Amino acid sequence: MEIMDRILFIAISLIVIATILVVGDPMYVGLWYYIAIPAVTYLITLPFQPKPYFLTGVALATQFTYVPYFYHNLFSVRPDGLIGLGHVFSLPGLIAGVLVSGFIFNKIAARSFYTMAGAFIITLLCFLLNQLIVCNTKMYCGGLIWPLSLMSKT
């Protein structure tokens, strides 16, 4: 199962890289960025000796973080050239999510699906929390914070 988890991690990570090669780079950060993020997340999980399908959950969460940025820049009238900085500055949350979920699932015995789902949810929530803090304090993230601006007007 461990080999299958690594194969799925690589396959999921290659989806975004293939998208970048076909469509272009909507975040304007370069191909190296989309290769480095999965590589670093994999290296961070090594000390935990991840359980089966933990890496798959982390890969799904990592690739999911690109979706709002890609959507915003691919379908907006005026794409933001510096929108990738919002993702870059939110990476500490992604790393914290990988570490927290790795620590949790290293200590408990869970089924493979729960390990994958837990790694996905914890990693993604930590990234989103960091992005919420960054985009509301340190920088303007454009259309990525529209739900918060709508809620504040009510």
Side-chain angles (χ1 to χ4, degrees), residues 16-17 20 24-38 65-66 69-70 73 80-91 139:
V16 168
I17 295 170
I20 298 304
D25 184 5
M27 290 194 330
Y28 308 110
V29 290
L31 184 62
W32 68 271
Y33 184 76
Y34 304 102
I35 296 169
I37 300 303
T65 63
Y66 299 128
Y69 294 92
F70 286 9
N73 262 3
D80 294 329
L82 296 175
I83 198 166
L85 288 177
H87 194 273
V88 171
F89 292 143
S90 298
L91 287 179
M139 67 178 290

Side-chain angles (χ1 to χ4, degrees), residues 7-22:
I7 291 170
L8 284 171
F9 179 83
I10 293 168
I12 292 168
S13 299
L14 287 175
I15 291 171
V16 168
I17 295 170
T19 304
I20 298 304
L21 292 174
V22 172

